[in-house]
Structures are given as structure tokens and as C-alpha cells.
Amino acid sequence: MADAPLDPLLLGQRVVAILETGQRTATYKLALLMALIEHCIENLPERPDDRLTVPIPELAHRVLSIYWRQVRAFEGRDLVQVRGSTGRITEAAKTLRAAAGAANSGLSLEVAMLRAPDAYEQAIEKITVALAKQPLPRLQKLPGAPTSDPFLYDDSLLGEGVTRSRLRAHGDSIVLNAGIAHGLARLAGLLKPALETMWVDDVRRMNRFLDEQVPDVAGHLFGRERIALAAVRGPLKDAFGNDCFYCGATLPPDNPIDHVLPWSLVGIDGLANLVSSCARCNGDKGGALPAVDLVDRSLARNPDVLEQIASDLTWPTQRERVVAAARGLYRGQPSGVPTWAGFKQSKRLDIAFPPSWL
Ligand SMILES: [Zn+2]
């Protein structure tokens, strides 16, 4: 079914409806949707109606990176994210943390992958199968319905009975229906904050001890405290100067590190997406989409210098990922939408003369 592309607004309504109607006994469906949205942004097909093949191991990596920070102890305890059973996905993330010697530390997933490559592969294998058994088929199934409603992708192969070899035999992937990839990328700015809110609610419900106090659950889950970005502060200043990337103000020793493409939309911690910023610009920008010329200016920074910092710190640059995500974010927007152009300034999106990377 669903050969005619779904209108993005209808798509958004259906996604939200399916999440709100289904009793969520785990946060896995939310993680899966976030991973799908990010994948669509970074792999936007050429035409709006194109289908998109999504390798399940790539979704597994994105899901792992979402849970990576979340599985650390919070207020001294492990958070329950699955009701009534051990979470296969969260356990895989914890096992990798242990293997990389990162139990509760701020170590990034990228560094853990370098330290414990075999354990990383095992985690991806486990999560790939776990996704194929439950969240992928369940995402499109309404409570009480005998079969799923495959409006996003065909899930007839997936379910509890699926094996690793059967998945491999079918290309280890799902195929998004016509128009879904563009639709999800366009809706990212609306859907991602809604998914985060649902997630925080679910975790509060599944972890009674959180009712008693009001700790910053959202901060723990979605990295508002961020992973330890402090390590890049000095090297970025040494390389590009001690002033704010956006307004040029001289920076104090403890200035924020800003994600040019917002963390809340694409979550890319690579150096190509990081700049030194003053607290004023960083706070004002928030989760807004930056003006295209700001992204252009950050991408124009000397790649050799960034690579040098990357190798000194064992910290990836992820330039290609930033470029792909920027394409996905801007191409999905109608022209004329406001973008953040500096402290208290906005600029309407106009990609009539796009930079070479767009
Ligand atoms: Zn500034």
C-alpha cells in the first residue's frame, strides 16, 4: 500500500497518533523514531517522492548513541527504560560501556568504538536483532489491531521470529515508502522535541523514585549537560582565536562550545560542527536552525587544522556527516523560513544561490 506519497502534515499526525495510542512499555519506539528522523536528515534522497533504503545496523548505531549517555547511573541509580523485563538494547549499551572502561564516565561513543571495536560490533549485532524483533514491527501496530499498518515501511519480515541470518538474507534493511524520508526530515523540528517530551514522561512513570524530587531528567536523557565538550575548548581557541564565532566578542576561559547544526536536531559532536561561542549567542541560538552562511563559514574553516585537533584529541571531525545533515535540514525547508543569523537577528532562508556543499 501507500504508493502515493503521504502529505508531511498527515505523516506527522499519524506518527504522533500511533505513539500516543499505543501503551509504551519501553522507550524503544521513541528511540527508533528519533534514529529514523536523523537518518533521513543525513541521507535525504534527491527527489521528495523517493523511497529510501535504511540499513538496520545504521539505525542500531544511532539508537546506541542515543542510549549511550542515558544508561549512566542517574541520582545514583540505573534508570528503567523497559517495563517488566531486562532491556536488550540498554543492556547492550551497558556492556559496551564496561568493555570500553567507561562505566559512568563522559567518554564519547566514538572513542569507545576505537577502544573496544569488537565489543562495539557485538553491541550493534544485538541491537540490530532487537530492533527487528520488536520496535520496528511494533511501531506501526496499533493496540488491538491484528496486523500492522505499514505506512512508513514494509515490516512483514520482522517480528519476534526473525533471525540474524534471515535479516541478512533480506539485505539487513528496511525501505521507507515513497515520500517518507523527505517527510520525516521536514518534520524533524516538530517531532524531535515532542518525542523527547514523551520520553521524559515515560521515564518518570517507569522510575517511581523520580517522582519524589524534580531532578533534571531531560538533561540526563538528552545531554543538555552535553558530553564533556570541555576538551575541545582550548584547542579550538588556539586554532581559531579567542573570540565568539558568531559575534566576535572576546571569550572568557569557560565559554560554551556551540553546535552549529543544533544538537537537538542532529546531535553531531564532530569538530566540524563545533565552534567557540559566547554564552549570549549560545543561549540566544538555542535549537534554532542557523542561517546558511554561518554553516558555510564554519565549514570553510581549515580542514587540516581541524584534522590535527582531531588526531591530538581522538575526537572525530565528521565533516561529511555535517555536510549531509545540513543538506537534509535545509533542502527540507520551504524558502522564507526564519533562520538564526546572530544574537537577536534572523534571516529568511533563501537558497537561490546555494553554497557548493548545499
Ligand atoms: Zn557571541
Side-chain angles (χ1 to χ4, degrees):
M1 64 148 276
D3 280 325
L6 206 53
D7 168 76
L9 190 58
L10 270 174
L11 171 62
Q13 286 172 322
R14 284 182 81 167
V15 166
V16 171
I18 208 157
L19 291 171
E20 285 181 339
T21 339
Q23 265 286 34
R24 288 191 302 276
T25 53
T27 52
Y28 292 167
K29 281 192 225 169
L30 300 173
L32 170 62
L33 254 177
M34 282 193 184
L36 271 175
I37 292 170
E38 287 178 10
H39 185 90
C40 292
I41 291 172
E42 292 183 36
N43 298 274
L44 197 74
E46 210 47 49
R47 288 179 314 244
D49 293 353
D50 284 346
R51 301 165 135 250
L52 179 66
T53 299
V54 183
I56 302 175
E58 285 190 29
L59 286 179
H61 173 82
R62 290 180 192 278
V63 166
L64 172 61
S65 69
I66 295 170
Y67 282 109
W68 181 250
R69 292 176 306 277
Q70 301 195 353
V71 297
R72 289 175 303 160
F74 182 55
E75 309 272 313
R77 303 171 68 161
D78 275 353
L79 288 180
V80 174
Q81 299 237 22
V82 184
R83 213 189 290 262
S85 67
T86 314
R88 285 184 276 209
I89 295 177
T90 44
E91 281 309 306
K94 281 185 202 164
T95 305
L96 175 58
R97 272 195 171 271
N104 275 307
S105 76
L107 190 81
S108 73
L109 174 58
E110 283 75 15
V111 175
M113 288 162 64
L114 295 173
R115 283 195 189 168
D118 294 343
Y120 168 73
E121 282 309 320
Q122 283 163 21
I124 292 298
E125 287 291 294
K126 277 190 196 141
I127 298 172
T128 297
V129 176
L131 288 175
K133 281 179 185 288
Q134 288 191 350
L136 274 166
R138 287 189 186 178
L139 182 64
Q140 307 183 104
K141 193 167 176 298
L142 285 166
T147 55
S148 81
D149 170 17
F151 70 107
L152 299 170
Y153 46 84
D154 176 12
D155 58 16
S156 53
L157 264 172
L158 310 170
E160 275 301 337
V162 79
T163 59
R164 192 71 194 84
S165 54
R166 184 140 187 256
L167 269 184
R168 281 220 181 83
H170 288 87
D172 247 359
S173 53
I174 54 166
V175 180
L176 298 183
N177 296 335
I180 298 296
H182 266 257
L184 288 179
R186 267 184 92 161
L187 290 167
L190 291 172
L191 282 179
K192 285 199 79 183
L195 295 174
E196 288 188 8
T197 305
M198 290 181 194
W199 197 316
V200 171
D201 287 349
D202 285 0
V203 165
R204 281 193 179 276
R205 243 192 336 237
M206 290 181 211
N207 296 271
R208 288 282 161 213
F209 75 96
L210 295 175
D211 286 349
E212 292 138 33
Q213 323 115 32
V214 195
D216 183 12
V217 183
H220 177 76
L221 295 179
F222 298 108
R224 301 266 146 59
E225 57 182 358
R226 310 285 155 95
I227 58 164
L229 291 174
V232 307
R233 190 185 290 128
L236 279 183
K237 284 179 168 177
D238 290 344
F240 301 109
N242 190 33
D243 33 45
C244 173
F245 175 79
Y246 300 111
C247 72
T250 303
L251 295 172
D254 60 345
N255 67 281
I257 299 299
D258 189 71
H259 291 82
V260 180
L261 299 178
W263 167 268
S264 58
L265 281 178
V266 286
I268 302 176
D269 277 327
L271 288 172
N273 196 36
L274 300 178
V275 295
S276 308
S277 165
C278 69
R280 211 176 66 131
C281 288
N282 179 253
D284 188 55
K285 180 165 170 275
L289 196 62
V292 171
D293 52 344
L294 293 176
V295 180
D296 195 36
R297 191 152 62 79
S298 76
L299 288 172
R301 290 178 297 170
N302 189 332
D304 295 339
V305 173
L306 283 178
E307 287 301 337
Q308 186 58 50
I309 301 175
S311 82
D312 291 349
L313 294 179
T314 324
W315 192 294
T317 52
Q318 298 182 316
R319 189 178 195 281
E320 286 177 21
R321 217 186 135 191
V322 173
V323 168
R327 266 189 212 130
L329 286 173
Y330 291 106
R331 287 185 185 172
Q333 300 298 321
S335 77
V337 298
T339 57
W340 186 88
F343 183 72
K344 303 271 183 226
Q345 291 170 53
S346 64
K347 187 184 259 184
R348 291 194 180 278
L349 182 64
D350 172 12
I351 42 180
F353 302 98
S356 58
W357 50 266
L358 185 62

